Amino acid sequence: MSAPAEAAPQRSNLLQKFATVGAGTLMSRLLGFVREMMMAAFLGTGPVADVFYAAFQFPNPFRRLFAEGAFNTAFVPLFAKEIEANGVDGARRFSEEVFGVLFTVLLALTIVMEFAMPVLVATVIAPGFVDEPGKFELAVPLATIMFPYLICMSLAAMMSGMLNALRRYFAAAVAPVFLNIILIAVLLWAWRQGLGAVGIGYGLAWGVLAAGLVQLAIVWFAVRHAGVRIGFRRPRLTPNVRRLLWLALPAAVAGGITQINTLVGTVIASAEASAISSLSLADRVYQLPLGVIGIAVAIVLLPELARALKAGNDREASNLQNRSVEFSLFMTLPAAAALLVMSEPIVRVLYERGAFSQDDTAMVGSILAIFGLGLPAFVLIKAFTPGFFAREDTRTPMIFAAISVAINIAIALTLFPSMGAPGIAIASVVAGWANAVLLFATLLRRRQWGRDVPLLTRIPRLVVAAALMALFVHFAVGWLSGWLAPASPLRHQAVALGGLIGAAMLVYFAVAFAIGGADLGMLRRNLRRGGKRG
């Protein structure tokens, strides 16, 4: 058996790792845009779109709670420590113990959920569909078809966690691309066959299940190629498994907070026609910077922090956290500013055709602008939580996540009757900022966040650069109003939007570097693991 993890760890570059994970995520998100553009054209924000998004979102939170939330936060540090202590053979035994328990629990859960799906749709997934027989009758079979996706993706997330701990990021980052490739293929096939909306819904549901099997196969073979062959062991609560479960339950809640809030929003939004699909289409756009930046930072930072703390190198751990936040804000603030001031042109170019109307553009654009205000918070949560998880403290983030969910529910229930879907977006943003502030304040209070003067001086300058960029975009949208108008040809809209985004990037980066918000040499040096403070 090869032992790639036993080799002396090379002094790796965080920026390269962020780029590796971010490139895979970017590819997935871009193909996701193509998928959503096609779905918007075929289904608009009509009843079948509402049903599909509601049914698809149901296994997704479970996947992230059981898998990404738990295993990328609790499993990865334990797996990394097992490698350091007992080598790859010890890590393989640990993985087999966990795999046996995880597979058994997921199989039992899936069987129960499949039989209970009518009750779940009526009470948990979309209670608002009960009063609309057509929606309810379609939601039950679609959710039944897609729920086994949970097994595939939860096991795939475990394999991805192992690859991340072994510092092999590419396969785990690129596997999600195949969900969008398969769903795009389904939509093209449905178009060629001339299927109606209901037929497209069923085709997409089966495509989701097929994509889960493909993604699991990709990471399974990648793990084997990395030198770790996992066999099935009879599920037993060994000390290692008990330790994982003790950490994983609160980690699942904390790591899946965004998904929990999304599920809450879906349940509430099911009471209004088109609200679920409008929220989902806006979510797809803001998930691009969140996925490329926030998730990449979280995936790379967690195993790196765990190793630094295991080695007793608090200085390096502090530097890793500060550099990750700096990189996150450097890339996220301009994205948030752009979503705030140019959301409607973005939505128009991406979605406004076929069954997707100008009224749909106005609604989805307003939701997207609100999400833009919360984007820095959502990314900072991804950067702050590894500081807790790497120290095996999953309870504190869980408590803050619970507070965030309570805030989200209270505000959503208050605003939804008068504001509709935008009220749910506001609730999600406020809850996200509350969670980010609580996490950061606790790290400071515990002295687990090192004071970094360069970071403190650069953040206000990055805010200024983003604000000036937003001002430029605001006036530029007016100048290009003829090209961006609904009646303008799509190619004119796309050229104008692309030029506007390019010009906005030039303005932001020019101002940021000119006023000292960023420095290329500093960024290159300080993103180097173990590098000196900038």
Side-chain angles (χ1 to χ4, degrees):
M1 178 182 299
S2 61
E6 292 178 345
Q10 299 178 351
R11 298 183 66 79
S12 54
N13 189 293
L14 275 180
L15 184 57
Q16 292 175 350
K17 295 175 182 178
F18 291 161
T20 299
V21 179
T25 307
L26 177 61
M27 192 187 309
S28 176
R29 294 296 193 268
L30 291 176
L31 286 173
F33 277 131
V34 176
R35 180 193 89 197
E36 296 295 338
M37 290 167 65
M38 295 173 68
M39 287 184 63
F42 293 159
L43 303 176
T45 58
V48 175
D50 272 353
V51 169
F52 174 78
Y53 286 121
F56 185 39
Q57 283 178 4
F58 185 56
N60 261 338
F62 278 96
R63 168 173 68 90
R64 285 162 173 149
L65 291 176
F66 280 92
E68 293 174 5
F71 283 97
N72 276 337
T73 52
F75 176 78
V76 171
L78 294 179
F79 184 84
K81 289 179 180 179
E82 193 68 28
I83 291 176
E84 296 292 335
N86 300 308
V88 172
D89 285 337
R92 178 183 56 79
R93 287 192 297 270
F94 171 57
S95 300
E96 289 179 343
E97 293 172 356
V98 173
F99 182 87
V101 173
L102 178 64
F103 178 78
T104 304
V105 170
L106 289 171
L107 182 62
L109 175 68
T110 300
I111 292 172
V112 171
M113 291 291 187
E114 293 286 82
F115 282 106
M117 197 58 71
V119 176
L120 290 170
V121 171
T123 58
V124 177
I125 301 176
F129 289 176
V130 175
D131 297 329
E132 301 183 55
K135 282 188 173 182
F136 180 79
E137 292 167 1
L138 182 59
V140 172
L142 292 191
T144 302
I145 293 169
M146 285 190 279
F147 195 80
Y149 177 75
L150 169 69
I151 296 181
C152 300
M153 294 312 302
S154 296
L155 296 177
M158 175 184 169
M159 304 293 170
S160 298
M162 295 170 62
L163 291 169
N164 294 334
L166 292 167
R167 291 175 171 157
R168 294 173 179 247
Y169 299 102
F170 181 73
V174 80
V177 170
F178 288 88
L179 170 66
N180 293 316
I181 290 175
I182 290 173
L183 293 187
I184 289 171
V186 168
L187 288 167
L188 289 172
W189 173 80
W191 174 68
R192 290 177 62 88
Q193 296 295 318
L195 295 183
V198 173
I200 293 173
Y202 275 101
L204 289 170
W206 286 110
V208 167
L209 181 57
L213 293 170
V214 171
Q215 291 176 76
L216 176 58
I218 290 171
V219 293
W220 179 281
F221 283 112
V223 168
R224 288 173 64 89
H225 182 70
V228 182
R229 296 175 178 267
I230 300 178
F232 181 81
R233 293 194 179 198
R234 181 172 61 87
R236 293 172 53 244
L237 291 177
T238 63
N240 278 335
V241 172
R242 284 197 293 268
R243 177 62 176 162
L244 174 67
L245 294 176
W246 177 256
L247 294 173
L249 179 60
V253 176
I257 182 58
T258 302
Q259 289 70 45
I260 294 173
N261 283 332
T262 299
L263 183 59
V264 169
T266 299
V267 172
I268 297 173
S270 66
E272 179 181 291
S274 300
I276 292 177
S277 49
S278 296
L279 286 163
S280 297
L281 290 168
D283 179 81
R284 167 60 59 184
V285 179
Y286 98 88
Q287 283 288 339
L288 176 63
L290 177 60
V292 174
I293 303 166
I295 296 175
V297 167
I299 287 174
V300 173
L301 182 57
L302 180 57
E304 297 293 325
L305 267 181
R307 282 189 172 90
L309 293 171
K310 177 71 174 177
N313 195 337
D314 292 337
R315 184 173 180 271
E316 181 181 2
S318 177
N319 190 47
L320 284 167
Q321 291 182 111
N322 283 314
R323 300 287 70 77
S324 297
V325 167
E326 183 176 58
F327 175 77
S328 298
L329 291 177
F330 177 65
M331 300 300 293
T332 303
L333 287 174
L339 292 181
L340 181 63
V341 297
M342 58 186 292
S343 58
E344 192 164 314
I346 292 173
V347 172
R348 177 169 295 117
V349 171
L350 290 176
Y351 299 136
E352 193 177 300
R353 61 192 59 87
F356 197 92
S357 68
Q358 292 183 33
D359 290 339
D360 295 329
T361 294
M363 174 58 71
V364 175
S366 65
I367 295 170
L368 179 58
I370 295 168
F371 278 146
L373 292 172
L375 182 59
F378 300 139
V379 173
L380 287 174
I381 290 170
K382 299 289 186 183
F384 291 152
T385 49
F388 295 88
F389 296 144
R391 296 175 172 88
E392 298 186 14
D393 175 11
T394 56
R395 181 175 176 272
T396 301
M398 181 191 68
I399 293 172
F400 294 160
I403 294 172
S404 174
V405 170
I407 292 172
N408 183 44
I409 293 174
I411 296 177
L413 289 174
T414 301
L415 297 181
F416 183 71
S418 59
M419 297 184 63
I424 293 177
I426 291 173
S428 178
V429 167
V430 174
W433 276 110
N435 194 14
V437 170
L438 288 170
L439 290 168
F440 182 58
T442 303
L443 288 172
L444 283 179
R445 180 173 56 82
R446 294 178 177 177
R447 297 184 179 179
Q448 293 173 347
W449 190 275
R451 183 171 177 267
D452 190 284
V453 174
L455 175 63
L456 293 176
T457 59
R458 282 191 285 267
I459 289 177
R461 297 171 185 177
L462 292 176
V463 172
V464 170
L468 291 175
M469 185 209 79
L471 189 64
F472 165 79
V473 171
H474 172 74
F475 286 107
V477 167
W479 299 331
L480 295 171
S481 58
W483 282 59
L484 294 170
S488 178
L490 176 60
R491 64 180 181 276
H492 289 178
Q493 295 178 18
V495 168
L497 182 63
L500 183 57
I501 292 174
M505 291 173 60
L506 287 175
V507 170
Y508 172 74
F509 288 122
V511 174
F513 283 98
I515 65 176
D519 173 79
L520 190 59
M522 169 277 302
L523 193 65
R524 191 164 46 240
R525 289 192 304 272
N526 287 340
L527 281 170
R528 186 173 302 280
R529 181 172 178 244
K532 298 178 181 180
R533 288 180 180 270

